[in-house]
Amino acid sequence: MERQLKAKYLLIIALIGFVAITGCNTLKQIQNSITNLKRCEFKLKNVDNFRVNGIRLSNKKSIKDFSITDGLKLTNAFAKKSFPAEFILNVEAKNPNDGTGGTKQSSATLTSFDWTLYIDDVPTVSGNIANPITIPGTGQASIIPLAIGLDLYEFFGKQGYDRMLNLALALGGANSSPAKITLDARPTISTPIGPISYPGRIKIVEKTWQ
């Protein structure tokens, strides 16, 4: 009887120890995941494959570069109060957890990247990534491509045809840059107990890592 009680006692102690060790490991993994999330940085890289009403802008610098046919398509679209644009916004993501400076090399997996697009400080459309994206712990930048579609007329139609088309050229023309774009985002990273989000939203711009 005493042997049975002792065996049960030892088993209970062993189970408690196993749970404690497992719990500590899980807690450590969670802490590492949170650290990875806080250390990840983002900025806007470029705009790619910008199209307005199906017309590609990447080879155009000004309104004069549009053909007569393209010009008619665009003026007709504007007359109908519709100016659909679509493009890829490439976001650079950098994970500094590369094993240097006392940090452990580890990747970070984004499970969500809830974003709202601002153009000239005007909030436009919102979206999210379709699938998880892994950012390797190499210290080098990875690209998060965001497929974006919006009707420019809805947000900028009151500015007039020329100004709206020049805005489109500034965003996606031959001399384009994302300088007029701000991405309001909230990244979420996977952890052993589920996804954890940034404590607040971040403003992602062209030249500064956030």
Side-chain angles (χ1 to χ4, degrees):
M1 186 70 175
E2 290 182 1
R3 289 182 179 179
Q4 291 178 344
L5 289 174
K6 186 176 182 180
K8 289 181 179 179
Y9 179 72
L10 292 174
L11 178 61
I12 291 172
I13 292 176
L15 288 172
I16 292 173
F18 175 77
V19 171
I21 293 173
T22 304
C24 288
N25 288 337
T26 301
L27 180 60
K28 188 174 181 180
Q29 287 177 318
I30 295 169
Q31 289 174 337
N32 288 338
S33 297
I34 294 173
T35 299
N36 289 349
L37 177 63
K38 289 180 179 179
R39 286 172 58 83
C40 286
E41 299 175 307
F42 305 90
K43 72 175 180 178
L44 303 182
K45 180 176 176 59
N46 58 24
V47 172
D48 191 26
N49 199 28
F50 197 106
R51 294 175 181 271
V52 172
N53 205 34
I55 300 170
R56 186 165 61 94
L57 300 190
S58 60
N59 59 345
K60 297 175 174 58
K61 295 181 180 180
S62 69
I63 294 177
K64 296 178 181 179
D65 293 331
F66 289 90
S67 67
I68 295 177
T69 301
D70 288 345
L72 288 173
K73 288 181 180 179
L74 293 174
T75 53
N76 286 336
F78 183 82
K80 295 177 181 178
K81 298 183 178 181
S82 175
F83 221 69
E86 55 185 18
F87 58 95
I88 301 296
L89 177 62
N90 289 314
V91 180
E92 282 188 299
K94 186 169 65 175
N95 177 5
N97 297 291
D98 58 0
T100 62
T103 63
K104 182 179 179 181
Q105 184 177 16
S106 54
S107 61
T109 301
L110 289 175
T111 58
S112 174
F113 194 69
D114 175 44
W115 55 265
T116 297
L117 179 75
Y118 283 70
I119 300 176
D120 270 352
D121 297 324
V122 177
T124 60
V125 294
S126 301
N128 207 327
I129 54 175
N131 299 295
I133 296 175
T134 299
I135 308 171
T138 60
Q140 297 178 345
S142 300
I143 299 298
I144 303 173
L146 302 179
I148 295 176
L150 74 160
D151 189 340
L152 290 174
Y153 190 95
E154 178 181 351
F155 303 102
F156 304 103
K158 292 182 180 180
Q159 295 183 6
Y161 174 78
D162 286 355
R163 289 188 64 182
M164 189 168 60
L165 186 53
N166 281 323
L167 174 63
L169 286 166
L171 296 173
N175 299 322
S176 71
S177 101
K180 291 181 174 290
I181 294 176
T182 299
L183 203 65
D184 177 85
R186 191 178 189 189
T188 300
I189 194 170
S190 63
T191 75
I193 61 167
I196 294 179
S197 300
Y198 260 64
R201 302 185 71 84
I202 58 175
K203 302 290 186 182
I204 304 173
V205 293
E206 179 188 13
K207 296 182 180 179
T208 306
W209 287 101
Q210 299 292 332

